[in-house]
Amino acid sequence: MIEGSIVNLRAFDIDDAARMFRWRNDAEVVEYLNVRYPTPLVREGDFMRRRGTAPQSFTNAHFVVETKDGLPIGHV
């Protein structure tokens, strides 16, 4: 975990798939993102599994952004 003064960054977990699925299929959330079509839950789970097995690096770094209370509010 990377701790900041306002938020923390942590690694993705397979339990995050359902939340990411809701975010990725929310028109208001993806309005300005490069997301054109709805994403099925199984694809989100596959994405999470791939991120979980690939080593983190400067070119492959993915984190969940959490409040200091542990509430996920986004990902980078």
Side-chain angles (χ1 to χ4, degrees):
M1 178 180 301
I2 301 171
E3 293 192 33
S5 59
I6 299 172
V7 297
N8 295 328
L9 304 179
R10 66 163 174 79
F12 281 132
D13 187 276
I14 193 64
D15 295 334
D16 295 313
R19 182 178 303 104
M20 300 294 182
F21 168 76
R22 285 191 311 274
W23 288 344
R24 214 177 281 273
N25 287 285
D26 183 320
E28 189 176 344
V29 171
V30 299
E31 183 175 358
Y32 300 106
L33 301 178
N34 189 22
V35 176
R36 187 165 297 200
Y37 304 109
T39 301
L41 182 57
V42 68
R43 184 170 170 215
E44 200 62 47
D46 290 345
F47 172 80
M48 303 302 271
R49 277 188 282 286
R50 283 194 312 275
R51 293 298 161 247
T53 59
Q56 296 272 33
S57 69
F58 285 116
T59 58
N60 182 39
H62 304 273
F63 301 98
V64 173
V65 182
E66 290 185 331
T67 64
K68 290 305 211 170
D69 296 331
L71 176 68
I73 58 172
H75 60 92
V76 295

